[in-house]
């Protein structure tokens, strides 16, 4: 097998202050003050409004308001309403407490106002560590990357992730794993991103089974949160490949649920790439103790009780032809070309939950 050592690369570090550990939410006020903020607007989803209220109470006079209207895919209309709250309150910092949806709203506001952001993640999605924003307007989603989108401070407090419902914790953890796995064979990878990706994968595959079997295992939640930070950082530094392309094509084309689609497709996407770059994925197979990384990822998803078949998400055999067309048009860069011949059997295996094989 060829050596995985890269002899030529470019590394661009991403500045962010990370405050990690149980109880760190208590430091949120100090973090607002540290960045010179005096008037924080707290953002949440409607479901996490109470979490926002508790944070506002904790911030005291540092909090000037709360906007609890964040929703999935950052609709521009919601951002406009939140923007009006910034104008009304004279906020000078946005504090997002929630998952990727809430952090997406903070990014959209930072883009329009230049205000600094503090992200306090409550899932493993990893958006807090990226300069990426997906926004929707008139039913169309556009994604952009801009250094101004990156939160200046991330506060990781394990007390906030351990309230995730089990299905969200598992799908969110597998979503994080997908960022790191694709980072391993990204065209613009470098030794630093590969180091972070492998450590993020190790942390996730160690922690997810433990927190599934014992939801009171704080050490496992914290290790998964640490893994999520690393996986998110990888997503923020390198381009994604076949797996993310398949997820966007199927998610957008058939309105399939984002997280479950990710969970089902990852082993199959990896099985396509693995023969082309075995040396890059061998460490994953080794961590999993399986013959291939693809089979290891599939066994992990199964053991965690994640969905295994696109059939269960509503896709049917008759949808496959269109699914393959969507997957192969405007393909992302991939270490192994994405074509109809290989995508049809791959998607059929994902449809029925057959073993992930190249
Ligand atoms: P989410 O933020 O949409 O949250 C899903 C639901 O779970 C919400 O109702 C939320 O309030 C609730 N929730 C979140 N944390 C909880 C907790 N600890 N306890 C109880 N309920 C909780 O889910 P997500 O998966 O974190 O984010 C998905 C969105 O983020 C998608 O729109 C995705 O495209 C985006 N995303 C963006 C990036 C990026 O880099 N831009 C990265 C990853 C995901």
């Amino acid at each position: 097998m060829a050596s995985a050592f890269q002899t030529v690369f470019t590394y661009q570090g991403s500045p962010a202050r990370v405050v990690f550990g149980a109880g760190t939410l208590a430091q949120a006020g100090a973090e607002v003050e540290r960045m010179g903020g005096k008037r924080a607007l707290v953002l949440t989803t409607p479901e996490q409004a109470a979490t926002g209220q508790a944070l506002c109470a904790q911030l005291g006079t540092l909090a000037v308001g709360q906007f609890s209207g964040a929703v999935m895919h950052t609709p521009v209309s919601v951002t406009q309403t939140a923007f009006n709250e910034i104008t009304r309150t004279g906020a000078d910092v946005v504090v997002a407490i929630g998952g990727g949806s809430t952090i997406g709203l903070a990014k959209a506001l930072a883009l329009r106002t230049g205000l600094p952001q503090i992200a306090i993640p409550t899932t493993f999605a990893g958006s807090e560590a990226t300069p990426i924003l997906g926004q929707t307007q008139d039913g169309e989603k556009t994604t952009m990357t801009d250094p101004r989108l990156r939160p200046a401070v991330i506060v990781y407090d394990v007390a906030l992730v351990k309230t995730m419902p089990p299905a969200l914790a598992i799908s969110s953890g597998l979503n994080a794993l997908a960022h790191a796995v694709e980072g391993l064979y990204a065209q613009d990878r470098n030794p630093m991103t590969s180091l972070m990706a492998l450590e993020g994968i190790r942390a996730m595959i160690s922690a997810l089974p433990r927190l599934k079997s014992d939801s009171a295992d704080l050490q496992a939640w914290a290790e998964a949160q640490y893994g999520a930070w690393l996986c998110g950082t990888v997503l923020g530094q390198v381009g994604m490949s076949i797996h993310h392309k398949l997820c966007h094509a199927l998610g957008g084309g058939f309105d399939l649920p984002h997280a479950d689609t990710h969970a089902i497709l990852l082993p199959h996407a990896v099985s396509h790439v693995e023969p082309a770059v075995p040396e890059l994925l061998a460490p994953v197979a080794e961590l999993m103790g399986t013959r291939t990384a693809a089979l290891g990822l599939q066994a992990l998803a199964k053991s965690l009780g994640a969905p295994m078949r696109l059939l269960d998400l509503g896709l049917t055999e008759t949808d496959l032809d269109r699914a393959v067309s969507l997957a192969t048009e405007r393909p992302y860069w991939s270490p192994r070309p994405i074509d109809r011949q290989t995508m049809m059997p791959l998607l059929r295996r994902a449809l029925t939950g057959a073993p992930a094989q190249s």
Side-chain angles (χ1 to χ4, degrees), residues 45 47-48 73 99-101 122-123 125 127 130 132 141 160 163 168:
T45 58
E47 296 81 11
Q48 289 177 291
H73 305 312
S101 297
T122 65
T123 70
S127 178
T130 83
I132 306 167
K141 185 162 182 171
L160 296 168
T163 59
L168 178 62

Side-chain angles (χ1 to χ4, degrees), residues 19-28 58 155-160 218 225:
V19 181
F20 189 98
T24 47
L25 181 63
Q27 295 174 41
Q58 180 196 311
V155 176
Y156 287 109
D157 186 336
V158 70
L160 296 168
L218 276 193
Q225 200 174 26

